[in-house]
Amino acid sequence: MDAALALLSAGEVVAIPTETVYGLAGDATNGEAVARIFEAKGRPRFNPLIAHVADMAMAERIGVFDPLSRNLAEKFWPGPLTLVVPLRPEAGIHPLVTAGLDTIALRMPMGFGGKLIARLGRPLAAPSANTSGKISSTSGEAVASDLGGRIPLVVDGGSTPVGLESTIVKVEDGKVRMLRPGGVAASEIEALAGAPLLRGATAGIEAPGMLASHYAPGAALRLNVGKVGAGEALLGFGPERAEGWQQARAFLNLSETGDLREAATNLFAHLQALDRSGAASIAVEPVPSDELGEAINDRLARAAAPRDNLHV
Ligand code: TXA
Ligand code: MG
């Protein structure tokens, strides 16, 4: 904690655990720190970042909360929900964080991240701690092996409990639009909002998580597989196995019992491990798309997409 505080105060970046995935954090009010985040990730600069806050007072100093956004924050914070709200121009957020937009994505993380921000007294800009376009890191080890040489500190807090990035929503005229599925299931938000969510992005920015190919492992991915091909690795789900699974080059199960929460937690680490098996292709058994399955299938589809748009 003290080492992280010293570096962040000096405008450096630090990888920190959150309940979703590891974040590459920098002081959101310091342009140099934010530039270092983009540099370390090799991230296209037009993509805005999430600003992480310690409490509701900090959030309200940065963004303008309508009643529904405030209800969502009260229900799901701290936790894996990001709210896009109008930015207060006087908040001191460096424009690199929002890529010049007049809105800002805000999230209050659980655990270490929240405590760190409270002690720093300033919001932290933090995208997922991975090279742009690669799988998000869910352990300190994964961060170190991806970004280790490029950042001064990785705070190792073990495996992240949720394992998927936050759900991103934006309230528009009293309706909630889901910009990215994630750690809070759509049904939980609908229960609070009392209406079905709007889906898909509004005109304007393309979120990087919305590029077709994102979260890409080195190997090709084949989804909804009923039969494993020669030399393929297999990513399983549930108690039933795809045909030919005994011949798989490597096998890992997202959840033996078919539990979507457990599967979300394991997704990125299992993809990375199967990638390291050296297989040219990873076959993935079907995963249901209800509840957290929506976010899991979203990440799998992006990981399976053709890679030629990676350099957009
Ligand atoms: O769980 C998470 O959300 C993790 C942890 C570290 O908090 N962070 C994360 O950040 O996934 P990142 O930068 O990989 O994804 C943030 C997403 C991007 O798709 C970005 O385009 C979108 O948030 N975003 C940021 N500001 C936005 C805005 N003003 N309007 C719409 N989307 C925005
Ligand atoms: Mg990311």
Side-chain angles (χ1 to χ4, degrees), residues 21 41 43 127-136 165 180 208-209 214-215:
V21 297
K41 280 182 68 84
R43 179 175 208 171
S128 49
N130 53 274
T131 305
S132 192
K134 294 288 177 200
I135 293 172
S136 300
E165 298 86 347
R180 176 178 76 181
H214 196 66
Y215 311 105

Side-chain angles (χ1 to χ4, degrees), residues 48 84-87 97-105 170 205:
V84 175
V85 294
L87 172 70
V97 174
T98 53
L101 295 170
D102 55 8
T103 55
I104 185 153
K170 183 182 182 189
I205 69 137

